[in-house]
Amino acid sequence: MTVSLCLLTWNELAGCKHDVPLIDRSRFDEIYCIDGGSTDGTVEYLESQGIRVCPQTARGLNQACKDGCDNCHSDAFVFFHPKGTIPVEDTYKFRPLFEQGYEFVVASRMMRESENEEDGRLFKPRKWFVLGLALAAKLLFKKEGNTVWDSLHGFRGMTVSAFKSLGISDMSPSIDIEMVCRSYKFKVPRVEFPTKESPRLAGETHFKAFATGKKLLRYLFWEIRRG
């Protein structure tokens, strides 16, 4: 089993400068990046670190992940957003799970041993939405196997063959929940492990909560009709 680390970036220079030096490159057979059009020096920094950077071929998070799969030279890949929010050493936890036979692995912020950046708050709208979406996907599509409760965490990995079998749509930014729903439909062996999330080091999220939420719900209804 060979495993690649695929960085997904769009103006994440601060996060890259924090995360990239911490990566033990011996843990991966390949490290590369799909960049969505950074203008802050992200591309130049990664190339200076000897990391292959592939420009995204079209707009949207779904396309970024499709490009990540297409540019992978290993049996499996791990998508990692270098924002300084997740312990870099958690990227090493995927390979043993792939070797156990799982083809879809998610680093979860929703498990008992995990941490979500909203966990210290009384009101947790983002966390509740993620769990609600996960429950809907489970009830609608799951027939067997483990449940994925962190339905919207982009820190995840999959075998190349499994990803290609899903038929991912262009309904960006549906990719995270779509991988979950399609893995249920296609009975892809799946598992979660806990991770700890902290606030990003710099910049703001590219996905505003309300607008993104509407798009994800629209995707879910479309997936029901998709068959």
Side-chain angles (χ1 to χ4, degrees), residues 27-101:
R27 301 284 193 126
F28 299 96
D29 298 277
E30 171 190 38
I31 301 178
Y32 63 104
C33 173
I34 303 298
D35 184 77
S38 295
T39 57
D40 66 343
T42 295
V43 172
E44 292 78 6
Y45 172 74
L46 291 176
E47 290 179 338
S48 75
Q49 299 301 302
I51 294 176
R52 175 169 60 98
V53 179
C54 307
Q56 195 170 315
T57 59
R59 296 181 63 182
L61 183 59
N62 285 35
Q63 187 60 50
C65 293
K66 289 182 183 181
D67 288 345
C69 180
D70 290 342
N71 284 276
C72 180
H73 299 148
S74 300
D75 300 315
F77 53 77
V78 176
F79 288 142
F80 183 63
H81 299 257
K83 300 178 293 185
T85 60
I86 298 293
V88 168
E89 58 268 24
D90 281 0
T91 61
Y92 314 146
K93 297 179 180 179
F94 287 81
R95 184 187 295 270
L97 294 170
F98 285 134
E99 291 176 343
Q100 290 175 36

Side-chain angles (χ1 to χ4, degrees), residues 136-201:
K138 172 186 174 73
L139 295 175
L140 288 168
F141 306 116
K142 180 175 171 288
K143 305 299 182 183
E144 48 69 52
N146 296 321
T147 298
V148 175
W149 288 108
D150 198 341
S151 58
L152 295 182
H153 199 195
F155 182 28
R156 53 182 57 198
M158 186 171 268
T159 63
V160 170
S161 59
F163 187 89
K164 289 182 176 180
S165 75
L166 299 185
I168 295 297
S169 74
D170 294 322
M171 295 185 68
S172 187
S174 69
I175 184 65
D176 293 335
I177 185 61
E178 186 166 352
M179 288 174 71
V180 174
C181 294
R182 301 295 282 175
S183 77
Y184 290 156
K185 284 188 171 183
F186 286 86
K187 299 181 179 180
V188 176
R190 69 200 81 89
V191 71
E192 289 184 305
F193 69 83
T195 192
K196 297 183 178 181
E197 177 189 51
S198 57
R200 63 162 47 238
L201 292 179

